[in-house]
Amino acid sequence: MTEATGIVGEFFSLKEETDAEILTMQCGDFYEFFGEDAEIVSEELDLKVSQKSSHGSSYPMAGVPIDDLTPYLKALVERGYRVAVADQYETDSGHAREIVRVVTPGTLLETSDADAQYLAAVVDGSGSAGDSSGSSTTDSGYGLAFADVTTGRFLVADATDVDDALTELYRFDPVEVLPGPDARADDELLNTVRDRTDATLTIHETEAFAPKRADHTVREQFGTETVDRLSVATPTVAAAGAILSYVEETGAGVLASMTRIQAHHGDDHVTLDATTQRNLELTETMQGKRDGSLFATIDHTETSAGGRLLKEWLQRPRRSLETLERRQESVAALSTAALARDEVQETLGKAYDLARLASKATHGSADARDLLAVQETLAVLPALADAIASNPDLADSPLSEIVDRPDRDAARELRETLEEAIADEPPSTVTQGELLQCGYDDELDEVIERHEAIKEWLDTLADREKGQYGLSHVTVDRNKTDGYYIQVGKSAADGVPDHYEEIKTLKNSKRFTTDELEEKEREILRLEERRGDLEYELFEELREQVAARAELLQDVGRALATVDALASLATHAAENRWIQPELHQGDRLTLEQGRHPVVEQTTEFVPNNVRLDEDRGFLVVTGPNMSGKSTYMRQVACIVLLAQIGSFVPAKEAEIGLVDGIFTRVGALDELAQGRSTFMVEMSELSNILHTATEESLVILDEVGRGTATYDGISIAWAATEYLHNEVKAKTLFATHYHELTGLAENLPRVANVHVAADERDGEVTFLRTVRDGPTDRSYGIHVADLAGVPDPVVDRSRDVLERLREEKAIEAKGGASSDPVQAVFDLGSGTMQTQGEPGRAQAQAASTDGGPMDPDSDAGSSAGDSDTESLDANSDTRPIDPDTEAVLEDLESIDVNTTPPIELVSKVQELQERLEE
Ligand code: ADP
Ligand code: MG
């Protein structure tokens, strides 16, 4: 491939060994990049490129000093590159080089980001999973494993199908994903991962996913019993095994920090699919910003570990009443005990990220400052326990148990060991001494004593020489070329004693040395080296001792993070007048004066009540555009979610029946404006909800069906409502501008209408933001046209047209089980139900759901009422209209207010007005 020899040749042959995109190779005091790699690096990171010639050709070359490699590695990996690092080592015949690590997004240890950094593996067990050993997998479904090398966290989860797998992937938001053999061919899965996460996809060797080998790897790491107790499916074990093998292969050296494997079982967690997490803006807004998300709003944590935990809680709400009530108790205690809370938070403020430090210790990259941070953080635990114990409310709460959970004695011992060992202000280098304290090691003490004595001799030499020889302007110093020297100012230089030996003449001074000084110099160099070596050796032992306690550090870290997250919830509750919701296992959901947790931060929020129970499980929410429907429904979802992480909620009173899942879907039209959804996506997500939601779920549908033409949309909304009401029986809020749907309440017993009130006076609409029982009484599209000043004849005429369109259609509502006979007919024209006898009108074509993806601008399909312009004048009881006006009218009529985006509507109306004025 290449003719290059020497260093460049070595580089290229190492490059062939690795599948990393970039290689960097140690050459003495530098890490070098050659060829294309040098070009990439220079482009990405502004490194200077020079040319290196080899065998008559010349190659681009770029390099960084050894000690500066980390930030460059980090920057490259964060840009999505996998970087192989080859180190140089001494051999009998000179030196050789070898790849020691491949740094990838999921195995990067040097992160400065507080967020979790998950490496994920996903295995598709539904096909003939790739077991090269011949035995076939028995489990179907998907298997997932997640590891955070920076904290040692390791989680696994079974997933029933691809959607489930994607939900977990979205939840953990991994930085790198290893698809298993079958998953690699699954374009849908891979594309969705690419779309929904920023993860790098990495192909790891197929054998690592083989069930037998993976099972062996997992048992070796976590112990046979642990794995049996987990009882997860084969694909999940395969995923876990693949991750372990990958971490090992990339040489991150952190396997030892992965002390525990945890199974994430769906049954204790609230189902929260990816769309819902996005719609509710849990961790980022629709615009992808952190600010304005629910997490950013409620996060008052003091530590990054606490922040990570709180985020995890939000992404994985719980269903266990017991767990939630325990969290509530702590939050309640902390929220009332303001002073004690301050103290708790101040104490937590001194904590560092123990889980991360444990990983660094295991990896061998922790320096003395890191161990000092471990020591200081271990000291936070007893201080925190004291703060909790000294307040009766806190002492009585589960907080006491949380801080007692880690092995406090072991933590104290480790802290004491570190206290005796680590110097007060150690340097960041670990090879040059001054890391450890006197009294830690006898041999070291002796070296230090001699070293300090000789430093003292050198420090006082200048004064001695001045006194003894009457010299002025004397200093003693050292530099690389001259070593130690005595420097004497020009004026005094002639008076130096004979045994001074001149080594250099400078402009204003001369430098001398003496035999004695040279001898002391040799000695100090010897001592420095000895001290550096000895301290490094002792330090390494100490670091290994810390690494061996990784699990303890993780426990303490977890306890601190838990208190931090709870204190954060308490702070937010206290500062925003949130209250403790009453939780129960029933169907009732009542909120007195509920608010939206995020919107209330920036708006004078009008509180609203919500009431859902066994007899009233489905609310149809109507109201004009911009009146507050979406906000109302999201507020309900957010409050339920907050309640299910143990948080207080923004309301005056709240009673919340726990749910097993929260599902939301926003109509494609509302999402289209942000260019992220199509009608097809809207429908497949609706389908997912109809399939997976249960009687215990909370379903939020916001303008679903709006992504297609009016009658098509109504039909789908209508049928979905019936199905949710009759079959799924989920607690549902459905916001719709299809006024027609309000008729369902008359026939489906658990459906109730609520509307967001608006006040209209002198043509001015005031949004009251108040939700009231009952349907809205008008169709707002024409109302908006009226408000916009469209002339009366046009408005009146459009009411006629609408009426006419409606009169031609009637839909029956199916109550009870879906197989029940027709029970009632809803007349779109009159807005009433006919429960007996023949409806006597054209029936139900509109209920066809053959929609599919449709152009939202096109009119309804064959089933919907075409705007038949042919009969515009027939039956007309309005004044005669001139042709120009009629043309305007025709245009007006052809606008579908339901599918045209509001902005376009406004400009259309403006245009029509202008034409009328002409
Ligand atoms: P809709 O879904 O009915 O079109 P939105 O829910 O999007 O309306 O709300 C429109 C605007 O009104 C938003 O800017 C929102 O912040 C504000 N809003 C909604 N509900 C309230 C409320 N209860 N109090 C104050 N402002 C509100
Ligand atoms: Mg809305």
Side-chain angles (χ1 to χ4, degrees), residues 543-552:
R543 186 162 65 191
E544 276 161 26
Q545 236 171 301
V546 173
R549 309 311 310 252
E551 197 167 345
L552 172 71

Side-chain angles (χ1 to χ4, degrees), residues 281 283-291 676:
E281 308 192 306
T283 56
E284 58 178 40
T285 63
M286 292 284 196
Q287 289 75 38
K289 295 209 176 70
R290 182 187 177 280
D291 278 355
R676 42 164 82 243

